[in-house]
């Protein structure tokens, strides 16, 4: 069997392409339900992680409940971020698609959300980096590393939004 006798190659779309097409074909209310269910799942995941580390053998009575409350708090903030960015991105994408159909210039949703998320990450990570000596003296080097990652990711998102090449 030679090279010319090989069967014709047929490419199949990836699962991510199929999911993206399914997402774009959906109605706005369906997409918002998906965003809200993802936020609820994130809240439950935060609660579960907090509950998993709570009241282990060797902990004092005052420590029981701290993991659960911190898990609820972290899950709440993560769910709020998903709701804010998910709803804003979904609504802006629908408005952008309608503007593009009518021939007007579409909204740069990726730039708006990228800059917003980048500014939040930069705002969250930079105070710890300014006080890195105090954190390192307390033996909390993981907070400094995590804050450095947040600052770098925030700067990357902001720069990517402004310097990303557009398809032409």
């Amino acid at each position: 069997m030679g090279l010319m006798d090989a069967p014709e190659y047929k490419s199949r779309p990836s699962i991510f392409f199929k999911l993206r097409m399914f997402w774009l074909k959906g109605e706005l209310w369906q997409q918002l339900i998906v965003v809200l269910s993802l936020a609820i799942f994130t809240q439950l995941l935060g609660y579960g992680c907090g509950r998993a580390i709570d009241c282990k053998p060797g902990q004092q009575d005052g420590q029981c409940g701290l993991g659960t409350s911190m898990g609820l708090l972290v899950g709440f903030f993560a769910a709020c971020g998903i709701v804010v960015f998910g709803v804003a991105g979904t609504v802006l994408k629908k408005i952008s698609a309608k503007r593009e159909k009518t021939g007007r210039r579409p909204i740069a949703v990726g730039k708006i959300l990228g800059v917003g998320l980048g500014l939040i990450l930069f705002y969250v990570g930079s105070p710890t980096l300014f006080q890195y000596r105090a954190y390192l003296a307390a033996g909390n080097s993981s907070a400094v590393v995590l804050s450095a990652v947040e600052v770098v990711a925030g700067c990357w998102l902001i720069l990517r939004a402004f310097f990303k090449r557009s398809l032409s």
Side-chain angles (χ1 to χ4, degrees):
M1 180 168 164
L3 184 62
M4 300 305 283
D5 297 331
E8 182 180 344
Y9 176 74
K10 295 180 183 173
S11 67
R12 293 182 303 193
S14 70
I15 187 70
F16 296 115
F17 179 78
K18 290 179 183 177
L19 286 174
R20 184 172 184 270
M21 288 296 111
F22 176 74
W23 177 262
L24 292 176
K25 289 178 185 174
E27 295 293 323
L28 180 63
W29 65 272
Q30 292 170 331
Q31 292 176 349
L32 293 178
I33 287 175
V34 170
V35 168
L36 291 176
S37 61
L38 184 61
I40 290 170
F41 174 74
T42 304
Q43 172 66 43
L44 291 175
L45 184 67
Y47 171 74
C49 289
R51 188 79 177 141
I53 63 169
D54 222 2
C55 292
K56 298 292 179 200
Q59 286 185 333
Q60 305 295 328
D61 285 340
Q63 293 173 326
C64 288
L66 182 63
T68 304
S69 62
M70 289 307 293
L72 277 172
L73 187 67
V74 168
F76 173 74
F77 286 124
C80 287
I82 288 173
V83 167
V84 167
F85 281 101
V87 169
T90 303
V91 170
L92 284 175
K93 196 67 177 169
K94 285 291 184 182
I95 292 171
S96 178
K98 284 182 183 178
R99 287 179 65 132
E100 194 172 14
K101 282 183 182 177
T102 60
R104 297 187 307 188
R105 194 173 124 218
I107 300 170
V109 179
K111 286 185 179 182
I112 293 170
L113 293 180
V115 169
L117 183 61
L119 288 174
I120 288 173
L121 286 174
F122 188 74
Y123 176 74
V124 168
S126 55
T128 306
L129 283 183
F130 291 137
Q131 300 171 349
Y132 74 95
R133 287 187 186 137
Y135 282 97
L136 291 178
N140 195 355
S141 61
S142 61
V144 176
V145 170
L146 184 62
S147 296
V149 169
E150 287 173 342
V151 168
V152 169
C155 292
W156 178 77
L157 282 170
I158 293 169
L159 291 174
R160 185 175 184 267
F162 289 113
F163 294 118
K164 183 178 178 183
R165 286 188 280 176
S166 61
L167 299 174
S168 52

